[in-house]
Amino acid sequence: MPQFDLLVVGGGPGGYVAAIRAAQRGLRVALVEKERPGGVCLNWGCIPTKAMLRSAEVFQIVDSAKDFGITTENVQVDFAAVRERKNGIVDELTHGVAGLLQANGVTVIEGHARFTGPSTVEVFRAGPSPVFDGGPRYAAAPTDIPIRTVEATDVIIATGSVPAPLPVSGADLPGVITSDGAFGLTEIPERLVVIGGSAVGVEWAGLFAAFGTAVTVVEMQDRLVPAEDAEIGAALGRSFTGRGITVSTSSTVTGIERSGDGLRVNVDGTDPRALDADIVLVGVGRRPNTAALGLDAAGVGTDARGFIPVDDRLRTGVEHVYAIGDVTGKALLAHVASHQGLTAADVIAGHDVHIDYHAIPAATFTHPEIASVGLTEAAARAAGHDVVTAKFPFAALGRARSVGDTEGFLKIIAGARHHEVLGVHIIGPSASDLITEGALAITLEATLDELAHTIHAHPTFGEIGMEAALTGLGLPIHIAPPRTRRGDRA
């Protein structure tokens, strides 16, 4: 008889959630994790970056306090204290997750898991790794010392992803770092080149620019955050430029080399140039973290990019083996991993559930924030929808005016005939919180009329969804009536 009903490999936001839910369903659960629970999100991603971004935001607020009638003097950044605060928050949360696993009766096994069959793994002790920002580096490798063999009826693979390397010469030079390495910086760099203008790159760019670093962002597409609606990317580019960040789009990096005490980044594209930097941060995407798992022994296959294909119940092609989170390649977001974890655990426990990906919200914590859900305008038109689009600016909201944060807008894409909400895209204050209404609207198949007729509290940022819906209906109250944009069916 197997030792456990379920073995979860990886303790990130997908794995630990799956383990807890399965234990709540009455299963005997073990979880293998090579370092602290919480995975990339809690240790090297979502939480620590947001903690540091909050410090940058507070610095900017205090630095502009005179605009609010408050006098301050000698405002400075104590970067060591910023990092210490971040480390404290991470420690609290990872300890909290460890406590939750224990409280739910999950057996936690420290080490690396390597499959020896579809339902058995050998666990190896994690090898030594350099001290990295107060703790072990996330990429600690396994040793050849097995600790134990674990057998379970079902297995969930939840090993996440790692930063993708930049395939150019000089990418391995000292001073060329990934998002993981950015946490190891003990000083604010004077000059920073960020390669990649998607979520990871623009967050770090905005953070260090707020602290006074001269930042250049190099993006190969024609705009920043290219996965977002085109108007969102264009707006962020204007915002970055206005804050002194150099934005180089439609550009590729051809190589990195030493230059004096720093680095030189050679860029090709519409404006070829050489960029001098003290630090080069590579944020060009992520790849699945499956190399050391021994998937062949489990019979689990991967696609051309190395991701594990799964169905809507998170089942792989091997019976009793499931996969969740970044390794599936569905959407590399912590909240998607968590939802997949809940679904997989419930399926294993015998519940008839599946996951639906059509209303996945995403957020990028720049200033201004970005958040989106559903179809972009281009995607809606390409899918054959006849659409109406509507925008409402934060500058027309009383709450935004009173707070002093008026940059940006909310944009709704809806069907032209029935006014069903197809997509919501926001750039502006509290975008990451506001997007939940958009996700709920799409999930419930709400219309512009229903959003417009829902009473929203005043004065709040949340009113912007109602105001945009009114604009889409041609009935705006707080802005002049715009022309509605209607497209022909493709």
Side-chain angles (χ1 to χ4, degrees):
M1 180 178 179
Q3 300 156 280
F4 298 97
D5 299 314
L6 172 64
L7 172 66
V8 181
V9 181
Y16 83 75
V17 167
I20 289 173
R21 172 54 61 87
Q24 291 171 342
R25 295 298 193 193
L27 303 184
R28 295 170 298 146
V29 182
L31 182 147
V32 178
E33 169 55 47
K34 61 182 178 294
E35 291 179 356
R36 296 187 298 188
V40 170
C41 181
L42 261 64
N43 290 283
W44 310 105
C46 321
I47 299 303
T49 53
K50 304 318 166 277
M52 295 178 72
L53 282 162
R54 177 57 177 165
S55 293
E57 182 183 25
V58 170
F59 174 67
Q60 290 179 302
I61 291 172
V62 175
D63 195 43
S64 61
K66 61 180 181 298
D67 296 337
F68 297 84
I70 307 298
T71 301
T72 58
E73 294 181 1
N74 197 28
V75 180
Q76 297 180 350
V77 177
D78 183 343
F79 195 56
V82 169
R83 295 172 64 245
E84 185 178 355
R85 175 181 181 271
K86 177 265 297 180
N87 289 339
I89 292 169
V90 170
D91 286 344
E92 288 178 0
L93 291 174
T94 54
H95 289 151
V97 170
L100 290 171
L101 289 166
Q102 182 179 22
N104 282 276
V106 176
T107 300
V108 177
I109 304 169
E110 295 184 7
H112 283 262
R114 185 177 300 160
F115 283 95
T116 56
S119 60
T120 59
V121 303
E122 280 189 321
V123 180
F124 292 78
R125 192 178 307 279
S129 60
V131 173
F132 190 72
D133 195 26
R137 184 163 184 147
Y138 183 77
T143 66
D144 57 358
I145 305 172
I147 302 172
R148 62 184 291 186
T149 297
V150 181
E151 184 179 2
T153 304
D154 293 284
V155 179
I156 295 177
I157 301 169
T159 48
S161 64
V162 294
L166 183 68
V168 301
S169 62
D172 56 350
L173 288 171
V176 180
I177 62 175
T178 64
S179 54
D180 287 358
F183 292 113
L185 296 176
T186 57
E187 296 180 354
I188 298 171
E190 292 186 13
R191 301 167 300 172
L192 173 69
V193 171
V194 177
I195 302 174
S198 293
V200 170
V202 294
E203 286 187 358
W204 282 108
L207 188 152
F208 281 113
F211 286 153
T213 301
V215 178
T216 299
V217 182
V218 180
E219 167 56 44
M220 67 182 299
Q221 301 296 325
D222 62 357
R223 63 182 186 274
L224 296 179
V225 288
E228 300 289 346
D229 188 87
E231 289 192 83
I232 298 291
L236 183 64
R238 291 192 298 271
S239 178
F240 269 23
T241 300
R243 292 167 52 198
I245 299 173
T246 300
V247 177
S248 181
T249 54
S250 301
S251 300
T252 57
V253 171
T254 58
I256 306 170
E257 58 192 17
R258 299 298 311 178
S259 177
D261 294 333
L263 297 162
R264 179 160 293 164
V265 181
N266 298 310
V267 178
D268 195 10
T270 55
D271 183 19
R273 67 177 90 176
L275 303 170
D276 291 326
D278 302 302
I279 297 293
V280 176
L281 195 155
V282 178
V284 293
R286 301 184 69 84
R287 61 182 180 180
N289 186 26
T290 57
L293 278 177
L295 292 180
D296 289 345
V300 175
T302 60
D303 64 17
R305 298 182 301 156
F307 293 101
I308 300 173
V310 293
D311 63 13
D312 63 357
R313 287 170 170 77
L314 291 312
R315 297 174 296 198
T316 68
V318 178
E319 190 175 7
H320 298 295
V321 180
Y322 299 73
I324 62 174
D326 288 4
V327 293
T328 68
K330 295 294 185 181
L332 277 62
L333 299 166
H335 46 281
V336 173
S338 295
H339 203 79
Q340 288 177 319
L342 295 173
T343 302
D346 282 344
V347 169
I348 291 168
H351 295 262
D352 185 18
V353 294
H354 68 281
I355 190 167
D356 185 346
Y357 298 101
H358 89 287
I360 299 174
T364 302
F365 294 84
T366 44
H367 184 81
E369 282 187 1
I370 293 170
S372 61
V373 65
L375 298 176
T376 64
E377 181 178 349
R381 295 185 189 281
H385 293 284
D386 187 15
V387 303
V388 56
T389 68
K391 290 196 300 182
F392 192 88
F394 279 94
L397 282 183
R399 177 64 187 278
R401 286 286 184 184
S402 63
V403 169
D405 197 350
T406 59
E407 188 176 9
F409 56 85
L410 181 146
K411 176 179 178 180
I412 299 177
I413 293 95
R417 181 178 179 185
H418 299 295
H419 293 162
E420 73 278 13
V421 177
L422 301 172
V424 178
H425 307 273
I426 312 171
I427 180 168
S430 297
S432 58
D433 297 311
L434 298 174
I435 200 60
T436 301
E437 182 175 60
L440 189 61
I442 293 174
T443 299
L444 298 179
E445 300 180 348
T447 65
L448 293 179
D449 306 77
E450 289 167 328
L451 285 179
H453 293 153
T454 298
I455 299 174
H456 289 62
H458 174 78
T460 63
F461 287 126
E463 290 177 279
I464 197 167
M466 175 190 68
E467 296 279 12
L470 286 167
T471 302
L473 295 171
L475 301 169
I477 300 299
H478 292 107
I479 60 172
R483 286 187 186 177
T484 343
R485 295 169 54 197
R486 297 181 182 273
D488 295 327
R489 185 176 298 277

